[in-house]
């Protein structure tokens, strides 16, 4: 839900080549995040920690929520 807002901020804040660099950095971060999420999820599912199958995928948010 935040993607349109972030892109709007980039469009309003930067101009010219700075905008191009900002959009390139944003695209790179989104691509790496999407790939890393798929790899981490697949790793958790295939690891089957403690014989729980796919359930550890849902526990990823617990430490993040506790930290926040």
């Amino acid at each position: 839900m935040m993607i349109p807002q972030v892109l709007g901020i980039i469009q309003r804040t930067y101009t010219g080549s700075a905008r191009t660099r900002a959009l390139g950095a944003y695209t790179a971060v989104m691509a790496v995040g999407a790939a890393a999420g798929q790899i981490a999820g697949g790793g958790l599912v295939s690891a089957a920690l403690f014989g729980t199958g796919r359930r550890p995928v849902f526990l990823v948010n617990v430490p993040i929520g506790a930290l926040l």
Side-chain angles (χ1 to χ4, degrees), residues 19-46:
R19 181 183 293 169
T20 304
R21 284 193 310 272
L23 287 172
Y26 174 77
T27 303
V29 168
M30 292 296 285
V32 168
Q38 294 293 315
I39 291 168
L44 283 172
V45 169
S46 65

Side-chain angles (χ1 to χ4, degrees), residues 2 6 12 16-17 20 24 29-30 32-33 40 42 46-48 51 62 64 67:
M2 294 301 298
V6 172
R12 297 282 291 167
S17 64
T20 304
V29 168
M30 292 296 285
V32 168
S46 65
V62 172
I64 295 170
L67 180 68

Side-chain angles (χ1 to χ4, degrees), residues 44 55-68:
L44 283 172
R55 291 189 183 114
V57 172
F58 300 111
L59 296 177
V60 169
N61 294 330
V62 172
I64 295 170
L67 180 68
L68 292 175

